[in-house]
Amino acid sequence: MIINGKNYRTVWMKSNVIYTIEQRLLPHEFKIVGLKTAKEAADAIKDMMIRGAPAIGAMGAYGLAQAISNQKETNREKFIENIKKIKKMLWETRPTAYDLTHGLNFVFDRIKNQSYINNIKKIAAAAAEEYADRSAEACKKIGIFGNNIIKNNSNILTHCNAGALATVDYGTALAPIRLAYYNKKNIHVFVSETRPRNQGAKLTAWELAQENIPHSIIADSAAGYFMAKKEIDLVITGADRIAANGDAANKIGTYGKSVLAKENGIPFYIAAPFSTIDPNTKTGNEIPIEERSQEEINYISIISNNKLMKIRMTPKESTARNPAFDVTPAKYITGIITEKGIIKPNELRNLL
Amino acid sequence: MIINGKNYRTVWMKSNVIYTIEQRLLPHEFKIVGLKTAKEAADAIKDMMIRGAPAIGAMGAYGLAQAISNQKETNREKFIENIKKIKKMLWETRPTAYDLTHGLNFVFDRIKNQSYINNIKKIAAAAAEEYADRSAEACKKIGIFGNNIIKNNSNILTHCNAGALATVDYGTALAPIRLAYYNKKNIHVFVSETRPRNQGAKLTAWELAQENIPHSIIADSAAGYFMAKKEIDLVITGADRIAANGDAANKIGTYGKSVLAKENGIPFYIAAPFSTIDPNTKTGNEIPIEERSQEEINYISIISNNKLMKIRMTPKESTARNPAFDVTPAKYITGIITEKGIIKPNELRNLL
């Protein structure tokens, strides 16, 4: 993605330091952070400095490769044991995203049968790099396939941030939007705010603004209004995990938008690489849904005088519930835009 | 309603000063404001110091009565002309709420054929008082009828604030909840945050907290998740205007919740006094929908060091769309809880 005229990925590694964009400061400040340990990588995921399933997958891959490189143990068996523990720590940061499992296993599977520690270190670093490259390439292809379903003069609704910032590059839901815009189609994007963390209003709007793609931010609750008014032609969101039957877990609120789209006869697409599809999860009921801290509802995070502050928005006696994801049943999904083409949810099982 | 152990109405008049709660400071500060002119009353409505259709109706009635009392003109015809202008100014503050029309006409119709200015002044003040009393009484009855549909051990979802703060007293959607709680039913309320102005998180939660009614604040987008999980048994919201065919305009997001309720087999009720029903509006398509300033989306209002501050949350290049209401078609509404009982939307036309 282009930021201030320069090309960036969301996460990359150089000289064994992982670099990523501090997403919690956006849209107000653009800052690159260097992570030097697996603990720092895990915290970056857990505390949502980086978020989005494919981006988390790459962070997991880099985090594990970095930990392997930093590992001082010389006994191979103990070495692998230590790495397994670090892998588990990285894996436990976010329970819903399947890409994280995929990224960690991609690196671990390459090294687990290797005998020599020096080889292990080199192979792990190369595997993480390959994982990130493949991930970026998959998103680019999602954009190329997805562009085909975007007609000229379209109004497209997206939810949360499934943009370049949520992936290694290009984005998932935003990749078709980018490609349509590059192909000179006249488009306008409705960006739903995405409470409680406002990833739509903060991140998606920022990415679109960087490339001058026309957009309007709306309250999450306003999607139905614009659908009923026929002001939305198409919905595209990302996914955090897709089950074998086509059910898709994504940011809280996706399910509601899919039901409203169906009710209003509007096509509803999920854009996701195959790495988001978990053949071992039979249906959406099996996807664990992370319930995050009620502080995200009770407090608003603002940046004032360059400081991140949390301000209580609700009565001090009130409690909150904060599920971070919901499951959109396959029956509400028109198609899944993947790097291998657009597939219907019910075709998924045959392809896996 | 009980606040800090004392009984309050949301709006009242004493010695020709209108008093109301400065709702924009809640839940952090409880402050009573005195309004001395029709312009101040109009601004209180327009700037949302007071909001909620029945409360606005009473503010309109009091505002007009106050203006009539303050009017120095001695020529009866000119007097009425001046009052008509003030009535128009008050009416133009919020286009969606039908109660405002009702409150203004209630006072104006009582005086318009009166010959003597002294009589006019007295009658207007008494009419405003009667309007407020009737409004409070209607809400109490809504609570009594609505209590009948709340089973023990219910989880009830409400949206926005249709509480005592949105009415003269008791509330509309919150009246049945209050009555169920007073009747010792075990209930829990899901309070949807209600972006962009957070009336759920700020006002409804505050009202419920004042009376220790168990509740959890959720993001607007999370309603579908809890419905699909069967954690919500019943939805009750208010309405800003109900058309003759039963379509109901209410806070943005109500429509989406009604569609999700239907999809999940959950009863969806509107609680509103008859004053909210407009027999002259045939269907929801005729209800004007107010689109408010995009600043409400782009900025967050916080209270820091006892000062109301606005902080930009979105990229400075981004624009927003901000419809304040949507229309829930009658087909999604299980029943309308009124002061005359619970009626089906399709029975409405016969009753009018």
Side-chain angles (χ1 to χ4, degrees), chain A residues 28 193 195 215 217 255 263-264 302 311-312 318-319 321 332, chain B residues 28 193 195 215 217 255 263-264 302 311-312 318-319 321 332:
Chain A
H28 307 292
E193 187 177 42
R195 291 286 300 146
H215 63 281
I217 303 166
Y255 162 63
E263 195 75 6
N264 286 284
I302 58 160
I311 292 181
R312 180 117 197 171
S318 294
T319 54
R321 294 281 306 272
Y332 300 113
Chain B
H28 306 291
E193 186 177 40
R195 291 286 299 146
H215 63 281
I217 303 167
Y255 162 63
E263 195 75 6
N264 287 284
I302 58 158
I311 292 181
R312 180 119 197 168
S318 294
T319 54
R321 294 282 305 274
Y332 300 114

PDB file of all heavy atoms in Angstrom, chain A residues 28 193 195 215 217 255 263-264 302 311-312 318-319 321 332, chain B residues 28 193 195 215 217 255 263-264 302 311-312 318-319 321 332:
ATOM      1  N   HIS A  28      -4.406   9.217  13.250  1.00  0.00           N
ATOM      2  CA  HIS A  28      -3.786  10.489  13.639  1.00  0.00           C
ATOM      3  C   HIS A  28      -2.276  10.508  13.434  1.00  0.00           C
ATOM      4  O   HIS A  28      -1.687  11.522  13.140  1.00  0.00           O
ATOM      5  CB  HIS A  28      -4.127  10.791  15.099  1.00  0.00           C
ATOM      6  CG  HIS A  28      -5.597  10.740  15.362  1.00  0.00           C
ATOM      7  ND1 HIS A  28      -6.460  11.668  14.840  1.00  0.00           N
ATOM      8  CD2 HIS A  28      -6.379   9.857  16.030  1.00  0.00           C
ATOM      9  CE1 HIS A  28      -7.700  11.375  15.205  1.00  0.00           C
ATOM     10  NE2 HIS A  28      -7.677  10.275  15.914  1.00  0.00           N
ATOM     11  N   GLU A 193     -18.470   2.215  10.807  1.00  0.00           N
ATOM     12  CA  GLU A 193     -17.560   2.658  11.867  1.00  0.00           C
ATOM     13  C   GLU A 193     -16.850   1.504  12.589  1.00  0.00           C
ATOM     14  O   GLU A 193     -15.673   1.543  12.855  1.00  0.00           O
ATOM     15  CB  GLU A 193     -18.422   3.464  12.836  1.00  0.00           C
ATOM     16  CG  GLU A 193     -17.693   4.161  13.929  1.00  0.00           C
ATOM     17  CD  GLU A 193     -18.674   4.980  14.771  1.00  0.00           C
ATOM     18  OE1 GLU A 193     -19.784   4.485  15.080  1.00  0.00           O
ATOM     19  OE2 GLU A 193     -18.321   6.102  15.139  1.00  0.00           O
ATOM     20  N   ARG A 195     -17.775  -0.317  15.807  1.00  0.00           N
ATOM     21  CA  ARG A 195     -17.602  -0.248  17.248  1.00  0.00           C
ATOM     22  C   ARG A 195     -17.304  -1.645  17.783  1.00  0.00           C
ATOM     23  O   ARG A 195     -17.706  -2.619  17.170  1.00  0.00           O
ATOM     24  CB  ARG A 195     -18.897   0.314  17.876  1.00  0.00           C
ATOM     25  CG  ARG A 195     -19.132   1.785  17.548  1.00  0.00           C
ATOM     26  CD  ARG A 195     -18.215   2.699  18.320  1.00  0.00           C
ATOM     27  NE  ARG A 195     -18.429   2.529  19.758  1.00  0.00           N
ATOM     28  CZ  ARG A 195     -17.462   2.626  20.673  1.00  0.00           C
ATOM     29  NH1 ARG A 195     -16.209   2.847  20.329  1.00  0.00           N
ATOM     30  NH2 ARG A 195     -17.751   2.476  21.950  1.00  0.00           N
ATOM     31  N   HIS A 215     -15.388   7.898  -0.210  1.00  0.00           N
ATOM     32  CA  HIS A 215     -16.000   7.086   0.842  1.00  0.00           C
ATOM     33  C   HIS A 215     -16.759   7.958   1.829  1.00  0.00           C
ATOM     34  O   HIS A 215     -16.504   9.158   1.932  1.00  0.00           O
ATOM     35  CB  HIS A 215     -14.932   6.272   1.582  1.00  0.00           C
ATOM     36  CG  HIS A 215     -13.928   7.117   2.299  1.00  0.00           C
ATOM     37  ND1 HIS A 215     -12.874   7.730   1.657  1.00  0.00           N
ATOM     38  CD2 HIS A 215     -13.823   7.478   3.606  1.00  0.00           C
ATOM     39  CE1 HIS A 215     -12.160   8.422   2.534  1.00  0.00           C
ATOM     40  NE2 HIS A 215     -12.715   8.290   3.720  1.00  0.00           N
ATOM     41  N   ILE A 217     -18.112   7.562   5.949  1.00  0.00           N
ATOM     42  CA  ILE A 217     -18.191   6.767   7.173  1.00  0.00           C
ATOM     43  C   ILE A 217     -19.631   6.822   7.686  1.00  0.00           C
ATOM     44  O   ILE A 217     -20.259   7.875   7.651  1.00  0.00           O
ATOM     45  CB  ILE A 217     -17.214   7.322   8.234  1.00  0.00           C
ATOM     46  CG1 ILE A 217     -15.782   7.330   7.665  1.00  0.00           C
ATOM     47  CG2 ILE A 217     -17.291   6.521   9.534  1.00  0.00           C
ATOM     48  CD1 ILE A 217     -14.801   8.153   8.491  1.00  0.00           C
ATOM     49  N   TYR A 255     -22.632 -10.430  10.655  1.00  0.00           N
ATOM     50  CA  TYR A 255     -23.842 -11.256  10.564  1.00  0.00           C
ATOM     51  C   TYR A 255     -25.079 -10.383  10.302  1.00  0.00           C
ATOM     52  O   TYR A 255     -25.870 -10.649   9.396  1.00  0.00           O
ATOM     53  CB  TYR A 255     -24.001 -12.072  11.849  1.00  0.00           C
ATOM     54  CG  TYR A 255     -25.386 -12.633  12.074  1.00  0.00           C
ATOM     55  CD1 TYR A 255     -25.939 -13.546  11.194  1.00  0.00           C
ATOM     56  CD2 TYR A 255     -26.134 -12.243  13.185  1.00  0.00           C
ATOM     57  CE1 TYR A 255     -27.216 -14.059  11.410  1.00  0.00           C
ATOM     58  CE2 TYR A 255     -27.397 -12.753  13.409  1.00  0.00           C
ATOM     59  CZ  TYR A 255     -27.931 -13.658  12.517  1.00  0.00           C
ATOM     60  OH  TYR A 255     -29.193 -14.147  12.725  1.00  0.00           O
ATOM     61  N   GLU A 263     -32.289  -9.553   3.044  1.00  0.00           N
ATOM     62  CA  GLU A 263     -33.645  -8.996   3.131  1.00  0.00           C
ATOM     63  C   GLU A 263     -33.894  -7.935   2.054  1.00  0.00           C
ATOM     64  O   GLU A 263     -35.012  -7.755   1.590  1.00  0.00           O
ATOM     65  CB  GLU A 263     -33.830  -8.389   4.530  1.00  0.00           C
ATOM     66  CG  GLU A 263     -35.242  -8.091   4.927  1.00  0.00           C
ATOM     67  CD  GLU A 263     -36.047  -9.349   5.285  1.00  0.00           C
ATOM     68  OE1 GLU A 263     -35.469 -10.448   5.332  1.00  0.00           O
ATOM     69  OE2 GLU A 263     -37.265  -9.195   5.499  1.00  0.00           O
ATOM     70  N   ASN A 264     -32.817  -7.244   1.652  1.00  0.00           N
ATOM     71  CA  ASN A 264     -32.960  -6.170   0.672  1.00  0.00           C
ATOM     72  C   ASN A 264     -32.474  -6.567  -0.725  1.00  0.00           C
ATOM     73  O   ASN A 264     -32.331  -5.704  -1.601  1.00  0.00           O
ATOM     74  CB  ASN A 264     -32.209  -4.926   1.163  1.00  0.00           C
ATOM     75  CG  ASN A 264     -32.944  -4.235   2.305  1.00  0.00           C
ATOM     76  OD1 ASN A 264     -33.942  -3.557   2.092  1.00  0.00           O
ATOM     77  ND2 ASN A 264     -32.475  -4.436   3.532  1.00  0.00           N
ATOM     78  N   ILE A 302      -8.840   7.792  22.985  1.00  0.00           N
ATOM     79  CA  ILE A 302      -8.624   8.976  22.147  1.00  0.00           C
ATOM     80  C   ILE A 302      -7.158   9.375  22.207  1.00  0.00           C
ATOM     81  O   ILE A 302      -6.421   8.975  23.112  1.00  0.00           O
ATOM     82  CB  ILE A 302      -9.485  10.170  22.596  1.00  0.00           C
ATOM     83  CG1 ILE A 302      -9.165  10.515  24.060  1.00  0.00           C
ATOM     84  CG2 ILE A 302     -10.958   9.893  22.429  1.00  0.00           C
ATOM     85  CD1 ILE A 302      -9.569  11.896  24.430  1.00  0.00           C
ATOM     86  N   ILE A 311     -11.135   7.282  28.151  1.00  0.00           N
ATOM     87  CA  ILE A 311     -12.125   8.074  28.874  1.00  0.00           C
ATOM     88  C   ILE A 311     -13.418   7.276  29.006  1.00  0.00           C
ATOM     89  O   ILE A 311     -13.914   6.724  28.020  1.00  0.00           O
ATOM     90  CB  ILE A 311     -12.354   9.414  28.145  1.00  0.00           C
ATOM     91  CG1 ILE A 311     -11.065  10.238  28.283  1.00  0.00           C
ATOM     92  CG2 ILE A 311     -13.563  10.157  28.718  1.00  0.00           C
ATOM     93  CD1 ILE A 311     -11.139  11.583  27.646  1.00  0.00           C
ATOM     94  N   ARG A 312     -13.927   7.203  30.218  1.00  0.00           N
ATOM     95  CA  ARG A 312     -15.153   6.449  30.473  1.00  0.00           C
ATOM     96  C   ARG A 312     -16.332   7.128  29.780  1.00  0.00           C
ATOM     97  O   ARG A 312     -16.514   8.338  29.898  1.00  0.00           O
ATOM     98  CB  ARG A 312     -15.400   6.350  31.981  1.00  0.00           C
ATOM     99  CG  ARG A 312     -16.657   5.582  32.364  1.00  0.00           C
ATOM    100  CD  ARG A 312     -16.356   4.339  33.165  1.00  0.00           C
ATOM    101  NE  ARG A 312     -17.498   3.445  33.178  1.00  0.00           N
ATOM    102  CZ  ARG A 312     -17.464   2.206  33.648  1.00  0.00           C
ATOM    103  NH1 ARG A 312     -16.336   1.711  34.122  1.00  0.00           N
ATOM    104  NH2 ARG A 312     -18.525   1.437  33.608  1.00  0.00           N
ATOM    105  N   SER A 318     -22.288   0.547  35.349  1.00  0.00           N
ATOM    106  CA  SER A 318     -22.740  -0.314  34.254  1.00  0.00           C
ATOM    107  C   SER A 318     -21.679  -1.328  33.853  1.00  0.00           C
ATOM    108  O   SER A 318     -20.484  -1.043  33.880  1.00  0.00           O
ATOM    109  CB  SER A 318     -23.105   0.528  33.030  1.00  0.00           C
ATOM    110  OG  SER A 318     -24.218   1.332  33.317  1.00  0.00           O
ATOM    111  N   THR A 319     -22.165  -2.507  33.468  1.00  0.00           N
ATOM    112  CA  THR A 319     -21.270  -3.504  32.890  1.00  0.00           C
ATOM    113  C   THR A 319     -21.567  -3.607  31.397  1.00  0.00           C
ATOM    114  O   THR A 319     -22.566  -3.099  30.908  1.00  0.00           O
ATOM    115  CB  THR A 319     -21.479  -4.877  33.547  1.00  0.00           C
ATOM    116  OG1 THR A 319     -22.862  -5.207  33.453  1.00  0.00           O
ATOM    117  CG2 THR A 319     -21.065  -4.864  35.004  1.00  0.00           C
ATOM    118  N   ARG A 321     -21.017  -6.224  27.626  1.00  0.00           N
ATOM    119  CA  ARG A 321     -20.630  -7.486  26.991  1.00  0.00           C
ATOM    120  C   ARG A 321     -19.966  -7.137  25.670  1.00  0.00           C
ATOM    121  O   ARG A 321     -20.428  -6.246  24.962  1.00  0.00           O
ATOM    122  CB  ARG A 321     -21.872  -8.364  26.732  1.00  0.00           C
ATOM    123  CG  ARG A 321     -22.581  -8.871  27.978  1.00  0.00           C
ATOM    124  CD  ARG A 321     -21.912 -10.074  28.629  1.00  0.00           C
ATOM    125  NE  ARG A 321     -21.698 -11.192  27.733  1.00  0.00           N
ATOM    126  CZ  ARG A 321     -22.589 -12.167  27.500  1.00  0.00           C
ATOM    127  NH1 ARG A 321     -23.750 -12.138  28.110  1.00  0.00           N
ATOM    128  NH2 ARG A 321     -22.295 -13.159  26.680  1.00  0.00           N
ATOM    129  N   TYR A 332     -26.381 -16.779   3.876  1.00  0.00           N
ATOM    130  CA  TYR A 332     -26.450 -15.338   3.616  1.00  0.00           C
ATOM    131  C   TYR A 332     -25.312 -14.852   2.726  1.00  0.00           C
ATOM    132  O   TYR A 332     -25.228 -13.669   2.420  1.00  0.00           O
ATOM    133  CB  TYR A 332     -26.415 -14.547   4.930  1.00  0.00           C
ATOM    134  CG  TYR A 332     -27.550 -14.872   5.878  1.00  0.00           C
ATOM    135  CD1 TYR A 332     -27.308 -15.506   7.084  1.00  0.00           C
ATOM    136  CD2 TYR A 332     -28.859 -14.540   5.549  1.00  0.00           C
ATOM    137  CE1 TYR A 332     -28.347 -15.804   7.955  1.00  0.00           C
ATOM    138  CE2 TYR A 332     -29.901 -14.832   6.408  1.00  0.00           C
ATOM    139  CZ  TYR A 332     -29.635 -15.471   7.609  1.00  0.00           C
ATOM    140  OH  TYR A 332     -30.669 -15.750   8.463  1.00  0.00           O
TER     141      TYR A 332
ATOM    142  N   HIS B  28     -22.216  11.576  33.347  1.00  0.00           N
ATOM    143  CA  HIS B  28     -21.151  12.042  34.240  1.00  0.00           C
ATOM    144  C   HIS B  28     -21.617  13.086  35.239  1.00  0.00           C
ATOM    145  O   HIS B  28     -21.127  13.172  36.352  1.00  0.00           O
ATOM    146  CB  HIS B  28     -19.991  12.578  33.407  1.00  0.00           C
ATOM    147  CG  HIS B  28     -19.503  11.602  32.398  1.00  0.00           C
ATOM    148  ND1 HIS B  28     -18.849  10.457  32.771  1.00  0.00           N
ATOM    149  CD2 HIS B  28     -19.634  11.547  31.052  1.00  0.00           C
ATOM    150  CE1 HIS B  28     -18.564   9.760  31.686  1.00  0.00           C
ATOM    151  NE2 HIS B  28     -19.034  10.386  30.635  1.00  0.00           N
ATOM    152  N   GLU B 193     -25.591   0.466  22.480  1.00  0.00           N
ATOM    153  CA  GLU B 193     -24.864   1.721  22.669  1.00  0.00           C
ATOM    154  C   GLU B 193     -25.530   2.920  21.983  1.00  0.00           C
ATOM    155  O   GLU B 193     -25.646   3.986  22.559  1.00  0.00           O
ATOM    156  CB  GLU B 193     -23.461   1.481  22.101  1.00  0.00           C
ATOM    157  CG  GLU B 193     -22.491   2.577  22.310  1.00  0.00           C
ATOM    158  CD  GLU B 193     -21.119   2.177  21.772  1.00  0.00           C
ATOM    159  OE1 GLU B 193     -21.030   1.548  20.693  1.00  0.00           O
ATOM    160  OE2 GLU B 193     -20.117   2.499  22.437  1.00  0.00           O
ATOM    161  N   ARG B 195     -24.858   4.477  18.577  1.00  0.00           N
ATOM    162  CA  ARG B 195     -24.037   5.458  17.908  1.00  0.00           C
ATOM    163  C   ARG B 195     -24.893   6.268  16.947  1.00  0.00           C
ATOM    164  O   ARG B 195     -25.911   5.768  16.486  1.00  0.00           O
ATOM    165  CB  ARG B 195     -22.918   4.716  17.125  1.00  0.00           C
ATOM    166  CG  ARG B 195     -21.892   4.061  18.047  1.00  0.00           C
ATOM    167  CD  ARG B 195     -20.968   5.059  18.681  1.00  0.00           C
ATOM    168  NE  ARG B 195     -20.214   5.770  17.655  1.00  0.00           N
ATOM    169  CZ  ARG B 195     -19.843   7.053  17.753  1.00  0.00           C
ATOM    170  NH1 ARG B 195     -20.157   7.769  18.807  1.00  0.00           N
ATOM    171  NH2 ARG B 195     -19.175   7.614  16.785  1.00  0.00           N
ATOM    172  N   HIS B 215     -28.230  -4.762  33.813  1.00  0.00           N
ATOM    173  CA  HIS B 215     -28.108  -4.464  32.386  1.00  0.00           C
ATOM    174  C   HIS B 215     -26.675  -4.633  31.917  1.00  0.00           C
ATOM    175  O   HIS B 215     -25.739  -4.590  32.714  1.00  0.00           O
ATOM    176  CB  HIS B 215     -28.589  -3.049  32.106  1.00  0.00           C
ATOM    177  CG  HIS B 215     -27.771  -1.985  32.783  1.00  0.00           C
ATOM    178  ND1 HIS B 215     -27.934  -1.666  34.118  1.00  0.00           N
ATOM    179  CD2 HIS B 215     -26.777  -1.190  32.329  1.00  0.00           C
ATOM    180  CE1 HIS B 215     -27.082  -0.708  34.444  1.00  0.00           C
ATOM    181  NE2 HIS B 215     -26.358  -0.404  33.381  1.00  0.00           N
ATOM    182  N   ILE B 217     -24.285  -3.156  28.589  1.00  0.00           N
ATOM    183  CA  ILE B 217     -24.187  -2.331  27.383  1.00  0.00           C
ATOM    184  C   ILE B 217     -23.492  -3.157  26.299  1.00  0.00           C
ATOM    185  O   ILE B 217     -22.532  -3.876  26.581  1.00  0.00           O
ATOM    186  CB  ILE B 217     -23.391  -1.041  27.681  1.00  0.00           C
ATOM    187  CG1 ILE B 217     -24.060  -0.272  28.830  1.00  0.00           C
ATOM    188  CG2 ILE B 217     -23.268  -0.176  26.432  1.00  0.00           C
ATOM    189  CD1 ILE B 217     -23.193   0.843  29.407  1.00  0.00           C
ATOM    190  N   TYR B 255     -34.510  -0.444  12.642  1.00  0.00           N
ATOM    191  CA  TYR B 255     -34.904  -1.289  11.505  1.00  0.00           C
ATOM    192  C   TYR B 255     -34.055  -2.569  11.464  1.00  0.00           C
ATOM    193  O   TYR B 255     -34.595  -3.687  11.355  1.00  0.00           O
ATOM    194  CB  TYR B 255     -34.758  -0.487  10.206  1.00  0.00           C
ATOM    195  CG  TYR B 255     -34.712  -1.319   8.952  1.00  0.00           C
ATOM    196  CD1 TYR B 255     -35.797  -2.107   8.576  1.00  0.00           C
ATOM    197  CD2 TYR B 255     -33.582  -1.319   8.134  1.00  0.00           C
ATOM    198  CE1 TYR B 255     -35.753  -2.874   7.424  1.00  0.00           C
ATOM    199  CE2 TYR B 255     -33.530  -2.084   6.976  1.00  0.00           C
ATOM    200  CZ  TYR B 255     -34.616  -2.863   6.626  1.00  0.00           C
ATOM    201  OH  TYR B 255     -34.557  -3.623   5.494  1.00  0.00           O
ATOM    202  N   GLU B 263     -35.800 -12.668  11.891  1.00  0.00           N
ATOM    203  CA  GLU B 263     -34.989 -13.779  11.384  1.00  0.00           C
ATOM    204  C   GLU B 263     -34.718 -14.816  12.486  1.00  0.00           C
ATOM    205  O   GLU B 263     -34.569 -16.003  12.209  1.00  0.00           O
ATOM    206  CB  GLU B 263     -33.661 -13.210  10.858  1.00  0.00           C
ATOM    207  CG  GLU B 263     -32.861 -14.131   9.987  1.00  0.00           C
ATOM    208  CD  GLU B 263     -33.434 -14.291   8.583  1.00  0.00           C
ATOM    209  OE1 GLU B 263     -34.399 -13.599   8.217  1.00  0.00           O
ATOM    210  OE2 GLU B 263     -32.905 -15.159   7.841  1.00  0.00           O
ATOM    211  N   ASN B 264     -34.671 -14.359  13.733  1.00  0.00           N
ATOM    212  CA  ASN B 264     -34.358 -15.258  14.838  1.00  0.00           C
ATOM    213  C   ASN B 264     -35.590 -15.640  15.667  1.00  0.00           C
ATOM    214  O   ASN B 264     -35.449 -16.235  16.741  1.00  0.00           O
ATOM    215  CB  ASN B 264     -33.284 -14.627  15.736  1.00  0.00           C
ATOM    216  CG  ASN B 264     -31.912 -14.641  15.078  1.00  0.00           C
ATOM    217  OD1 ASN B 264     -31.258 -15.684  15.012  1.00  0.00           O
ATOM    218  ND2 ASN B 264     -31.477 -13.509  14.552  1.00  0.00           N
ATOM    219  N   ILE B 302     -16.626  14.176  24.489  1.00  0.00           N
ATOM    220  CA  ILE B 302     -16.248  13.622  25.787  1.00  0.00           C
ATOM    221  C   ILE B 302     -16.271  14.734  26.825  1.00  0.00           C
ATOM    222  O   ILE B 302     -16.256  15.912  26.495  1.00  0.00           O
ATOM    223  CB  ILE B 302     -14.847  12.985  25.760  1.00  0.00           C
ATOM    224  CG1 ILE B 302     -13.805  14.028  25.330  1.00  0.00           C
ATOM    225  CG2 ILE B 302     -14.791  11.780  24.862  1.00  0.00           C
ATOM    226  CD1 ILE B 302     -12.427  13.679  25.776  1.00  0.00           C
ATOM    227  N   ILE B 311     -13.489  15.567  19.962  1.00  0.00           N
ATOM    228  CA  ILE B 311     -12.209  15.067  19.468  1.00  0.00           C
ATOM    229  C   ILE B 311     -12.436  14.293  18.179  1.00  0.00           C
ATOM    230  O   ILE B 311     -13.309  13.428  18.112  1.00  0.00           O
ATOM    231  CB  ILE B 311     -11.527  14.201  20.547  1.00  0.00           C
ATOM    232  CG1 ILE B 311     -11.116  15.121  21.708  1.00  0.00           C
ATOM    233  CG2 ILE B 311     -10.327  13.451  19.988  1.00  0.00           C
ATOM    234  CD1 ILE B 311     -10.429  14.441  22.825  1.00  0.00           C
ATOM    235  N   ARG B 312     -11.667  14.631  17.153  1.00  0.00           N
ATOM    236  CA  ARG B 312     -11.812  13.975  15.851  1.00  0.00           C
ATOM    237  C   ARG B 312     -11.377  12.519  15.968  1.00  0.00           C
ATOM    238  O   ARG B 312     -10.314  12.210  16.521  1.00  0.00           O
ATOM    239  CB  ARG B 312     -10.969  14.690  14.804  1.00  0.00           C
ATOM    240  CG  ARG B 312     -11.053  14.070  13.424  1.00  0.00           C
ATOM    241  CD  ARG B 312     -11.597  15.023  12.382  1.00  0.00           C
ATOM    242  NE  ARG B 312     -12.044  14.303  11.199  1.00  0.00           N
ATOM    243  CZ  ARG B 312     -12.774  14.847  10.235  1.00  0.00           C
ATOM    244  NH1 ARG B 312     -13.150  16.104  10.315  1.00  0.00           N
ATOM    245  NH2 ARG B 312     -13.149  14.130   9.198  1.00  0.00           N
ATOM    246  N   SER B 318     -11.826  12.429   5.503  1.00  0.00           N
ATOM    247  CA  SER B 318     -13.017  11.595   5.332  1.00  0.00           C
ATOM    248  C   SER B 318     -14.308  12.368   5.560  1.00  0.00           C
ATOM    249  O   SER B 318     -14.377  13.257   6.405  1.00  0.00           O
ATOM    250  CB  SER B 318     -12.981  10.407   6.305  1.00  0.00           C
ATOM    251  OG  SER B 318     -11.910   9.551   5.972  1.00  0.00           O
ATOM    252  N   THR B 319     -15.341  12.002   4.798  1.00  0.00           N
ATOM    253  CA  THR B 319     -16.670  12.542   5.034  1.00  0.00           C
ATOM    254  C   THR B 319     -17.534  11.435   5.645  1.00  0.00           C
ATOM    255  O   THR B 319     -17.153  10.265   5.651  1.00  0.00           O
ATOM    256  CB  THR B 319     -17.313  13.032   3.731  1.00  0.00           C
ATOM    257  OG1 THR B 319     -17.278  11.963   2.797  1.00  0.00           O
ATOM    258  CG2 THR B 319     -16.558  14.222   3.170  1.00  0.00           C
ATOM    259  N   ARG B 321     -21.873  10.140   6.552  1.00  0.00           N
ATOM    260  CA  ARG B 321     -23.316  10.296   6.369  1.00  0.00           C
ATOM    261  C   ARG B 321     -23.968   9.951   7.704  1.00  0.00           C
ATOM    262  O   ARG B 321     -23.548   9.001   8.372  1.00  0.00           O
ATOM    263  CB  ARG B 321     -23.841   9.332   5.283  1.00  0.00           C
ATOM    264  CG  ARG B 321     -23.342   9.612   3.863  1.00  0.00           C
ATOM    265  CD  ARG B 321     -24.063  10.766   3.181  1.00  0.00           C
ATOM    266  NE  ARG B 321     -25.508  10.622   3.131  1.00  0.00           N
ATOM    267  CZ  ARG B 321     -26.177   9.953   2.170  1.00  0.00           C
ATOM    268  NH1 ARG B 321     -25.524   9.341   1.208  1.00  0.00           N
ATOM    269  NH2 ARG B 321     -27.493   9.915   2.186  1.00  0.00           N
ATOM    270  N   TYR B 332     -42.425  -6.194  10.507  1.00  0.00           N
ATOM    271  CA  TYR B 332     -41.436  -6.685  11.474  1.00  0.00           C
ATOM    272  C   TYR B 332     -41.851  -6.428  12.920  1.00  0.00           C
ATOM    273  O   TYR B 332     -41.131  -6.796  13.848  1.00  0.00           O
ATOM    274  CB  TYR B 332     -40.078  -6.027  11.229  1.00  0.00           C
ATOM    275  CG  TYR B 332     -39.515  -6.286   9.858  1.00  0.00           C
ATOM    276  CD1 TYR B 332     -39.351  -5.255   8.944  1.00  0.00           C
ATOM    277  CD2 TYR B 332     -39.134  -7.572   9.477  1.00  0.00           C
ATOM    278  CE1 TYR B 332     -38.835  -5.494   7.676  1.00  0.00           C
ATOM    279  CE2 TYR B 332     -38.615  -7.818   8.221  1.00  0.00           C
ATOM    280  CZ  TYR B 332     -38.469  -6.773   7.321  1.00  0.00           C
ATOM    281  OH  TYR B 332     -37.965  -7.017   6.080  1.00  0.00           O
TER     282      TYR B 332
END
